Amino acid sequence: MGTAFGICFGYWFGISSILWVLSYVCNTRIGMMQILSLLGYGLFGHCIVVFLGTVWHGANHGSFYMIWAVFGGLSTIKMVSHL
């Protein structure tokens, strides 16, 4: 559990830092807190999918990927539209 916790937050802060550097290079005015919030929102859809996959053990893997595309895709598109 500790490794998963470290990887999750490491990914969150690492990717946020990379996005902050890219936004600085591209001369956009977006702060680190805004990037952390947007990326956290983007990852929330994937957390819903993992929860639903844990609770509902369907034999069909296609339904899991469909739910992942819908929830994860919508939250990621929202994040990208703001960036």
Side-chain angles (χ1 to χ4, degrees), residues 25-69:
V25 169
C26 295
N27 200 20
T28 60
R29 299 192 186 264
I30 187 167
M32 185 63 165
M33 189 58 83
Q34 291 171 326
I35 292 173
L36 284 169
S37 298
L38 286 171
L39 192 60
Y41 175 75
L43 291 173
F44 183 71
H46 299 285
C47 293
I48 291 174
V49 173
V50 170
F51 174 74
L52 289 175
T54 302
V55 172
W56 179 56
H57 299 287
N60 186 4
H61 294 290
S63 63
F64 172 77
Y65 291 121
M66 180 63 80
I67 293 170
W68 193 14

